[in-house]
Amino acid sequence: MKVEFDNQFYEIIAEKVAEKLATKMERTSEPTLPLILSRDDVKEILDIGQNKTSELMSILPKIKGFSHPKIPSKSFLEWINENTEWVEKNAGKDAKVFSVV
């Protein structure tokens, strides 16, 4: 027994797949950040306290010349990726502990 489908059937399937893919991509896309981050932005994004934020600010790449140091978002995300890779390489992908110092 041979089953054949018409073009309308394929179009409906393709539409459903595209909808599901678009929904999944929306959920997995990188968060939108301001171009330049403040100290408070870093604290809020990482959900850390004042002391840990102070430690982190001393090692993050920053733009000086403002009343308070500012962090370029691109550099911040690169720093996170580099340090996340270090944890995965040295502690394994299932590691739950992440230290910034």
Side-chain angles (χ1 to χ4, degrees):
M1 177 176 175
K2 184 176 179 182
V3 178
E4 291 186 27
F5 299 103
D6 61 4
N7 285 341
Q8 185 180 11
F9 174 80
Y10 291 117
E11 286 175 18
I12 291 170
I13 297 297
E15 217 172 279
K16 298 285 183 189
V17 169
E19 286 172 14
K20 288 193 182 247
L21 182 59
T23 302
K24 186 171 185 168
M25 288 177 70
E26 285 173 11
R27 285 186 269 142
T28 59
S29 65
E30 285 189 25
T32 304
L33 297 175
L35 185 59
I36 305 293
L37 302 172
S38 68
R39 174 190 177 93
D40 289 337
D41 292 331
V42 171
K43 181 180 177 292
E44 183 180 328
I45 291 166
L46 297 177
D47 191 26
I48 56 177
Q50 291 290 358
N51 291 342
K52 191 53 82 172
T53 303
S54 294
E55 291 175 31
L56 190 57
M57 291 299 288
S58 70
I59 61 173
L60 282 173
K62 359 179 198 329
I63 302 171
K64 297 179 182 176
F66 298 101
S67 58
H68 299 286
K70 304 292 184 192
I71 292 87
S73 294
K74 184 176 179 181
S75 297
F76 178 68
L77 292 172
E78 287 170 1
W79 180 88
I80 290 174
N81 285 335
E82 287 170 8
N83 284 278
T84 301
E85 289 172 8
W86 184 92
V87 170
E88 287 177 358
K89 287 177 190 172
N90 294 284
K93 291 186 179 192
D94 296 329
K96 302 287 185 211
V97 178
F98 179 77
S99 176
V100 293
V101 178

